[in-house]
Amino acid sequence: MKKENKLNSYSMQELAPVICEFLGQGKKVIIRAKGNSMLPLIRNLKDRVVLSSCRGEDCSVGDAVMYRRQNGQYVLHRIIGKAQDGSFVFMGDGQTLREEGIKPEQIIAKTDAIYRADRYISCQSPSYKNYASFWVKSTFCRKLYLKQFSLRQKIKQKIKKIIG
Amino acid sequence: MKLTDKIVIRKIGNDTVAIRIDADMVDLTSAMVLNPTSQLLFEALTQDTDEEKLIELLLGSYDITREEAEKDVKAFLTYLGGKDLLIL
């Protein structure tokens, strides 16, 4: 059998059919995070996300949700707002661009918990709820924070290279 | 012997993958990407079979010695047994 880290190479598109199959059976599904759009909380290939099936209508501002875009792409981002017509506004935690007009029927699953490396974080925990609430409310100054975060990461990497 | 119903085989991308299913959870991060040999053995184990039949299957599919086939089948069954995925 091949090494299991080949699994990290699959896109959300490739995983979506099996994710939807098992969610449809009422099971929770654990997937490896891919991409940087949900930094700083969820790190590319290091962290895992526990998904459970949900109705779009039951989702709220602050929820990290998997949805299907009109172009067929599957994404996991956070709800930062809800429009009067019932559609949602999304933004990745590590992004500053809003994505509007996502309909409830485009929503596939909700994040129940996150494994940040081996540390389990329930999305019902007070610390997670505080993070989600803060992150949603601070979108106006996110650009500044993300620039600082990115700069800190670059400095860390440079130091690692120098130290070896 | 055969596989428990705790494991299913699915196509992801261009690969055939064995996925363990628990009562209320499926961990896709610990699924197993199958090479052609393990795929052949997995599929054979979806029906009731035995070690000798699996060895004969490998001998009929690949140009290998009986010793190699026995070693591969034993290793494969030990792996599955260790993960509690076989019904004997």
Side-chain angles (χ1 to χ4, degrees), chain A residues 17-39:
Chain A
V18 286
I19 292 172
C20 292
E21 178 190 346
F22 296 124
L23 289 175
Q25 293 171 10
K27 296 187 193 294
K28 296 189 183 188
V29 179
I30 303 178
I31 61 170
R32 179 76 56 187
K34 223 171 161 228
N36 295 313
S37 64
M38 286 296 283
L39 283 173

Side-chain angles (χ1 to χ4, degrees), chain B residues 3 12 16-17 22 35 37 50 59 64 71-72 76 85:
Chain B
L3 286 170
I12 298 181
T16 302
V17 174
D22 292 319
N35 61 26
T37 305
D50 57 45
L59 288 171
I64 55 174
K71 188 180 157 195
D72 284 350
F76 188 75
L85 294 171

Side-chain angles (χ1 to χ4, degrees), chain A residues 111-162:
Chain A
T111 302
D112 263 14
I114 294 157
Y115 282 96
R116 199 170 147 81
D118 291 329
R119 187 178 148 220
Y120 178 82
I121 302 169
S122 165
C123 293
Q124 298 306 312
S125 67
S127 55
Y128 176 85
K129 284 184 174 180
N130 287 339
Y131 164 85
S133 173
F134 168 76
W135 215 246
V136 166
K137 286 173 184 160
S138 64
T139 52
F140 66 96
C141 61
R142 194 178 287 189
K143 222 175 200 167
L144 181 64
Y145 176 80
L146 287 173
K147 268 197 176 139
Q148 288 180 352
F149 179 79
S150 168
L151 187 61
R152 280 205 307 271
Q153 294 299 104
K154 282 178 185 162
I155 293 171
K156 261 190 203 172
Q157 277 159 17
K158 279 234 157 100
I159 292 172
K160 263 189 187 166
K161 266 189 188 166
I162 295 166

Side-chain angles (χ1 to χ4, degrees), chain A residues 70-121:
Chain A
Q70 300 283 11
N71 65 3
Q73 193 182 15
Y74 289 86
V75 176
L76 193 147
H77 284 169
R78 193 175 303 283
I79 298 174
I80 62 163
K82 198 169 178 179
Q84 281 190 338
D85 65 358
S87 67
F88 293 101
V89 183
F90 279 87
M91 188 186 282
D93 284 3
Q95 297 178 326
T96 54
L97 206 60
R98 295 159 64 93
E99 188 172 356
E100 298 181 347
I102 306 299
K103 298 179 187 139
E105 52 266 32
Q106 289 173 255
I107 288 173
I108 310 288
K110 197 159 116 174
T111 302
D112 263 14
I114 294 157
Y115 282 96
R116 199 170 147 81
D118 291 329
R119 187 178 148 220
Y120 178 82
I121 302 169

Side-chain angles (χ1 to χ4, degrees), chain A residues 1-4 6-7 10 14-15 18-19 21-22 25-32 48 50 115, chain B residues 8 10 12-13 15 17 19 21-29 31-35 38 76 79:
Chain A
M1 274 163 277
K2 288 187 181 173
K3 283 190 181 174
E4 285 164 10
K6 165 91 199 267
L7 296 164
Y10 298 126
E14 288 169 319
L15 291 171
V18 286
I19 292 172
E21 178 190 346
F22 296 124
Q25 293 171 10
K27 296 187 193 294
K28 296 189 183 188
V29 179
I30 303 178
I31 61 170
R32 179 76 56 187
R48 294 172 291 157
V50 182
Y115 282 96
Chain B
V8 296
R10 293 290 183 271
I12 298 181
D15 293 315
V17 174
I19 302 168
I21 302 179
D22 292 319
D24 60 351
M25 182 94 73
V26 175
D27 186 354
L28 291 181
T29 66
M32 296 168 273
V33 179
L34 304 180
N35 61 26
S38 50
F76 188 75
Y79 175 81

